Amino acid sequence: MKVKPWALLSLGLGAVYFALPLIAVFMFSLRGEKDVLGFSAYMHVFQDEKFIESFLYSLKIAVLVIVLSFILIIPTAIHVRLHFPKLRSTLEAIVNLPFTIPVIVLAFGLIRLYSGTLTHSVFLLVAGSMVICLPYVYRIIDSGLESIKLKTMTEASASLGASGLRTLFTVILPNLRTSLIGAASIIFAIVMGELTLSLMLAWPTFGPYMALMGRDYAYEPAALAVISFALTWASIALFHLIGKPQGTKK
């Protein structure tokens, strides 16, 4: 297939726009010692126990948010598409509300509502993160359901005697693999970088750790940004690897 020159130009400009800031941050991170390019800033970050602790803590939160978001959104989106199609516009308006509500307002609301009961529970942080991710996850999953002709698939599966649960796990979810990987990647990226909610709820996640490093050091925050970028993309690549269909070579 012949590729048009303007397409290559657009791709090249996009790559340069994306790569230049990363290169600049990486070069700055190497100046931890005066007049020497080295990895002293990286060594300082890796020697800090709170680095691994905060990253692993955010990783656990991200996994919980992914699982619970899928449990909540997938059945809801399927049920509305199959049985209440006229309510889709109302549901879309509801899931888009987090775009209009600042995260700090969400955090104060959660603290005020659950004060004395779940204030010190990690599930309050998980629930808040689910709300922040809701618009993106719902849109990705809903678009995936639209592309697979959901009604035709479910009717065909039912005509062959499959139960609703079996249809979900053997027909719908395998065809939503790409959408689910995309949604999981979005959730992971958002949770790993979330700052306001974690600070307000006082949980030691990766976002506040990066903010504290930026306050107290000069070159370590740049090194931490490069490391977190690499770790985040490695984790997203792992999602894609896990979600790859068995037997595929690409």
Side-chain angles (χ1 to χ4, degrees):
M1 186 176 73
K2 186 177 180 180
V3 180
K4 296 182 179 180
W6 64 265
L8 291 175
L9 178 61
S10 300
L11 182 62
L13 290 175
V16 171
Y17 181 80
F18 181 75
L20 279 181
L22 292 175
I23 294 173
V25 172
F26 175 69
M27 294 304 297
F28 181 77
S29 69
L30 298 179
R31 300 181 181 275
E33 298 180 16
K34 187 176 181 181
D35 299 327
V36 177
L37 293 179
F39 293 92
S40 60
Y42 291 86
M43 295 300 297
H44 188 193
V45 169
F46 284 122
Q47 289 171 359
D48 189 357
E49 294 180 356
K50 292 183 179 180
F51 164 67
I52 297 297
E53 291 177 0
S54 62
F55 183 84
L56 292 178
Y57 192 86
S58 287
L59 181 61
K60 295 176 183 177
I61 298 298
V63 172
L64 280 174
V65 173
I66 290 171
V67 173
L68 295 178
S69 294
F70 285 177
I71 292 174
L72 173 66
I73 296 174
I74 294 174
T76 302
I78 292 174
H79 193 69
V80 170
R81 273 191 167 271
L82 290 178
H83 304 291
F84 303 101
K86 292 183 179 180
L87 293 180
R88 281 189 61 207
S89 58
T90 303
L91 182 59
E92 289 179 359
I94 293 173
V95 300
N96 285 330
L97 285 176
F99 283 140
T100 64
I101 303 174
V103 178
I104 192 169
V105 174
L106 171 63
F108 272 118
L110 290 172
I111 294 172
R112 180 68 176 176
L113 183 62
Y114 297 103
S115 177
T117 55
L118 294 176
T119 305
H120 303 292
S121 172
V122 69
F123 287 101
L124 199 59
L125 176 60
V126 173
S129 300
M130 288 175 62
V131 172
I132 296 173
C133 299
L134 178 62
Y136 308 99
V137 179
Y138 175 79
R139 173 54 56 194
I140 293 173
I141 291 176
D142 187 63
S143 299
L145 291 173
E146 185 173 3
S147 66
I148 65 174
K149 298 181 179 180
L150 177 64
K151 187 174 182 179
T152 303
M153 282 189 171
T154 53
E155 289 177 350
S157 180
S159 68
L160 294 173
S163 63
L165 199 59
R166 184 174 182 181
T167 299
L168 174 64
F169 284 101
T170 61
V171 178
I172 298 176
L173 292 184
N175 284 280
L176 282 179
R177 184 180 291 108
T178 301
S179 297
L180 296 180
I181 292 173
S185 301
I186 289 291
I187 292 174
F188 185 84
I190 292 175
V191 172
M192 295 305 295
E194 170 53 38
L195 172 63
T196 305
L197 192 63
S198 299
L199 282 177
M200 296 301 299
L201 297 177
W203 287 102
T205 57
F206 198 53
Y209 173 75
M210 292 181 66
L212 289 174
M213 289 289 287
R215 183 193 66 181
D216 299 333
Y217 298 95
Y219 301 99
E220 282 77 0
L224 186 58
V226 175
I227 294 170
S228 63
F229 178 84
L231 289 175
T232 300
W233 276 93
S235 301
I236 292 174
L238 181 61
F239 286 140
H240 283 263
L241 183 62
I242 293 174
K244 182 189 295 185
Q246 296 295 323
T248 56
K249 297 181 179 181
K250 295 182 179 181

